[in-house]
Amino acid sequence: MSDTKITFLFAIILSCLGACKNAALAQGPAILQKEDFKHYVDYFNQMEDENIQQAIPDNASWDWMKDNIPLFEAPQQNFEEIFYYRWWTLRKHIKETPVGYAMTEFLVERSYSDKYNLISCALGHHIYESRWLHDPKYLDQIVHTWYRGNEGKPMAKLHNFSSWTADALYNRYKLSGDKSYLIDMLPDLLEEYQWWEDNRQREDGLFWQIDVKDGMEESLSGGRHVKNVRPTINSYMYGNAMAIARIAEVSGDGKLADTYKKKAHEIKSLVQDQLWNQESLFFETVKEKGGFAEVREAIGFIPWYFNLPDDKKPYPAAWDQVTDEGGFLAPFGLTTAECRHPEFRTHGCCNCEWDGAVWPFATSQTMTAMANLLINYDQEMVGKSDYFRQMNKYVESQYYRGRPYIGEYLDEKTGYWLKGDQERSRYYNHSTFNDLIITGLVGFRPQDDGSVVVDPLIPEDQWDWFCLDNVVYRGDILTIFWDASGKKYGKGKGLHVLINGKEVASSDNLTRLEVKR
């Protein structure tokens, strides 16, 4: 057969594969009906004024959501409402610029922002949350704006805050399967990693950061000008090194992959050897001049966000603090510093203190870490009921004056949003929520090889039914539903996984399911 004929046949095969994928997307959700959730958007659109319009105004929000988001249904109505509210608010932050789409953190202009009112602090959160949008152009361009939107170079203030972008982009790839975009970003990510090594790495291999550059000013462990060794940036750099190694493997560069695996291994060893306080049984900040800061903070859970700690004792003991009222357990969520500490909530109010109040930024990091702990580790410190309890508090906290609301931070005892009456705080795009519903509560875990893993963290006796539908996974539509009686959806009892409407796995119990593809 001639080369021309082979090329022609290959083109036909690719065309057919593309048509199959397009057909899957065109069919939409297998169980849920999009219009059944429009009432949430109608309510959001009329419940308050539209303070600032960007790329997608309120009057176009439902059409945009209908085309771009997964669907979620649950018997606990507030979970469902906040799920759609968070998509509605995320959409407000998509901004058109001369170099493509961008994503803001605040809607109002901030004096310390970059061009286009951009702030890099929550970029990792933006990627984790936005990766579920059906149209990839938004996130593709948002990332390119940060890395290439300054006359082909990175934005001037890209490095103003610690970053876990490489990790986030690799996790986005696991969902999308888009190798070309990932590989194209590799030089940018290598350049960024080198910047952090040149500017924040000490001779001993650990990384330092000023707490305000972690987005966590007025902390109990540091200060606005103190160069402490923090669990944050060291965990981020571990996650980024592992991600770059995996991206290098995808690109076929084994030598580069080995180099970054070695970097990751060295950071992992240093974190476990130097940042683990055996007396407090916690990962703690080490002061610039040496010695532990002697305070447990929520940043000590971040190593599990990247599956950094070894799966062995004593590390899981840290999680005993999330069920302890002297630790991080508070009426309206997990605090950012341990409640028993004598300096807890002593820094005053409303100047962005991280001395104990509840910050969604930290909550979403801790909940991602807890989901990893429950799914990937063998431990007995926390269970599914603890995860659900904290997700329930996270949902309940996202209301203000009786309406859905997401802002900067809140009082741990009253749930009062500490900047709730300030325009800057409204719609604060500084955390994830829907990613936690999808990967934690429902337990869909995208895999490197495109296989399907579902490991729900909902206690079996909590909900009689739920459904996650219209999830785009490598061009296919994924549906996951639980129906204890079989009467809700009429498709059988138990947990079910569908791809393009066809069942591929099921179980009578709310348990782990795996499907190779």
Side-chain angles (χ1 to χ4, degrees):
M1 185 180 293
S2 70
D3 290 344
T4 301
K5 288 183 178 179
I6 292 172
T7 301
F8 179 70
L9 287 172
F10 184 65
I12 291 175
I13 292 170
L14 286 178
S15 176
C16 290
L17 288 173
C20 290
K21 298 297 185 185
N22 290 334
L25 291 174
Q27 80 170 15
I31 292 179
L32 303 181
Q33 299 295 318
K34 295 178 182 180
E35 294 299 322
D36 288 344
F37 306 100
K38 181 177 181 293
H39 66 95
Y40 287 117
V41 177
D42 291 339
Y43 169 57
F44 303 150
N45 284 342
Q46 61 83 37
M47 74 179 181
E48 56 194 27
D49 65 294
E50 184 174 16
N51 59 337
I52 292 172
Q53 274 191 12
Q54 298 202 127
I56 306 148
D58 285 359
N59 61 17
S61 60
W62 172 243
D63 287 338
W64 181 86
M65 289 171 65
K66 189 169 57 174
D67 291 340
N68 278 287
I69 70 167
L71 302 176
F72 176 64
E73 181 180 56
Q76 198 164 326
Q77 192 268 339
N78 57 350
F79 273 75
E80 194 175 287
E81 180 173 50
I82 297 301
F83 180 83
Y84 293 101
Y85 177 71
R86 289 299 296 261
W87 288 126
W88 184 79
T89 59
L90 179 139
R91 170 268 324 170
K92 283 179 173 287
H93 289 274
I94 298 174
K95 183 174 187 174
E96 288 184 288
T97 78
V99 294
Y101 287 112
M103 180 165 279
T104 54
E105 179 176 307
F106 295 93
L107 288 184
V108 300
E109 294 286 332
R110 303 305 300 152
S111 61
Y112 51 86
S113 66
D114 213 321
K115 286 196 296 187
Y116 317 124
N117 197 34
L118 300 186
I119 299 171
S120 63
C121 182
L123 179 56
H125 283 326
H126 294 170
I127 296 169
Y128 264 85
E129 194 87 335
S130 301
R131 63 179 168 150
W132 303 100
L133 298 178
H134 290 190
D135 192 335
K137 71 183 178 189
Y138 298 106
L139 195 48
D140 284 353
Q141 293 180 30
I142 287 164
V143 173
H144 278 170
T145 296
W146 268 115
Y147 284 84
R148 302 173 185 176
N150 186 19
E151 298 182 353
K153 297 179 180 180
M155 300 293 280
K157 297 182 179 181
L158 175 66
H159 303 120
N160 271 22
F161 293 94
S162 303
S163 163
W164 66 100
T165 304
D167 165 82
L169 284 176
Y170 186 75
N171 276 279
R172 192 261 185 129
Y173 156 74
K174 289 199 291 187
L175 181 68
S176 71
D178 186 351
K179 293 183 180 180
S180 60
Y181 185 87
L182 187 72
I183 294 170
D184 182 65
M185 281 298 301
L186 182 56
D188 305 78
L189 299 175
L190 289 169
E191 182 179 337
E192 182 185 29
Y193 197 97
Q194 186 65 52
W195 189 95
W196 290 108
E197 286 188 321
D198 293 343
N199 291 275
R200 291 292 186 274
Q201 192 170 33
R202 307 193 316 178
E203 290 185 3
D204 64 2
L206 287 165
F207 291 82
W208 62 269
Q209 185 58 291
I210 302 165
D211 59 9
V212 71
K213 297 298 185 180
D214 267 339
M216 300 177 178
E217 55 269 41
E218 305 295 340
S219 72
L220 293 185
S221 63
R224 291 176 178 265
H225 306 287
V226 184
K227 300 177 180 179
N228 286 342
V229 178
R230 294 166 58 81
T232 47
I233 191 169
N234 286 282
S235 298
Y236 298 160
M237 296 308 293
Y238 168 81
N240 288 335
M242 286 300 300
I244 289 172
R246 288 165 179 155
I247 297 168
E249 288 176 338
V250 171
S251 73
D253 192 336
K255 184 177 180 181
L256 182 63
D258 289 343
T259 297
Y260 274 82
K261 284 179 183 177
K262 182 179 179 182
K263 289 178 184 286
H265 178 74
E266 290 171 351
I267 297 170
K268 175 188 174 81
S269 296
L270 287 167
V271 168
Q272 293 188 148
D273 292 344
Q274 303 298 322
L275 301 190
W276 178 258
N277 186 338
Q278 187 58 32
E279 291 188 11
S280 66
L281 296 176
F282 212 77
F283 286 109
E284 288 187 19
T285 293
V286 171
K287 295 179 180 179
E288 184 177 357
K289 296 182 180 180
F292 288 110
E294 300 294 346
V295 56
R296 298 182 185 93
E297 296 172 302
I299 58 176
F301 297 119
I302 291 178
W304 282 274
Y305 188 105
F306 304 97
N307 297 291
L308 181 156
D310 287 330
D311 188 7
K312 65 180 184 181
K313 295 180 179 179
Y315 304 118
W319 289 90
D320 187 44
Q321 298 300 317
V322 302
T323 59
D324 186 344
E325 291 181 355
F328 300 89
L329 183 64
F332 276 86
L334 294 169
T335 58
T336 48
E338 57 182 327
C339 301
R340 66 173 67 84
H341 195 275
E343 295 180 26
F344 180 81
R345 294 297 306 274
T346 60
H347 287 186
C349 179
C350 309
N351 288 306
C352 299
E353 304 83 11
W354 285 74
D355 61 344
V358 176
W359 282 80
F361 184 99
T363 297
S364 49
Q365 286 185 325
T366 303
M367 295 305 294
T368 298
M370 190 188 295
N372 287 343
L373 179 82
L374 288 166
I375 292 173
N376 300 330
Y377 287 77
D378 181 15
Q379 53 81 43
E380 298 178 351
M381 302 309 297
V382 293
K384 291 183 178 182
S385 60
D386 299 305
Y387 185 87
F388 187 86
R389 181 183 186 184
Q390 291 304 325
M391 280 298 292
N392 199 49
K393 290 184 178 185
Y394 193 19
V395 170
E396 290 175 342
S397 74
Q398 294 179 72
Y399 287 87
Y400 186 61
R401 301 192 190 283
R403 298 192 299 260
Y405 181 90
I406 183 66
E408 295 184 61
Y409 68 136
L410 60 145
D411 186 279
E412 77 283 356
K413 293 181 179 177
T414 66
Y416 180 78
W417 286 95
L418 296 173
K419 287 182 179 288
D421 292 322
Q422 294 186 22
E423 189 69 8
R424 59 171 269 173
S425 183
R426 193 154 54 127
Y427 314 121
Y428 192 38
N429 189 22
H430 202 238
S431 60
T432 61
F433 175 76
N434 292 331
D435 187 71
L436 301 176
I437 292 289
I438 296 168
T439 64
L441 208 62
V442 176
F444 170 48
R445 316 287 286 188
Q447 301 295 305
D448 301 78
D449 62 359
S451 59
V452 177
V453 172
V454 177
D455 200 344
L457 297 182
I458 304 170
E460 192 156 324
D461 60 352
Q462 189 68 50
W463 289 348
D464 289 336
W465 51 267
F466 67 82
C467 181
L468 175 69
D469 204 347
N470 207 36
V471 175
V472 175
Y473 185 37
R474 301 200 175 201
D476 294 317
I477 295 292
L478 183 72
T479 306
I480 301 164
F481 73 91
W482 162 253
D483 191 345
S485 68
K487 296 178 181 179
K488 172 65 178 177
Y489 299 113
K491 295 181 179 293
K493 295 181 181 180
L495 180 66
H496 300 259
V497 179
L498 283 60
I499 296 178
N500 301 330
K502 296 182 179 180
E503 186 167 297
V504 295
S506 66
S507 171
D508 291 339
N509 302 312
L510 206 50
T511 189
R512 184 182 179 95
L513 293 173
E514 298 186 29
V515 181
K516 294 292 183 182
R517 296 202 294 162

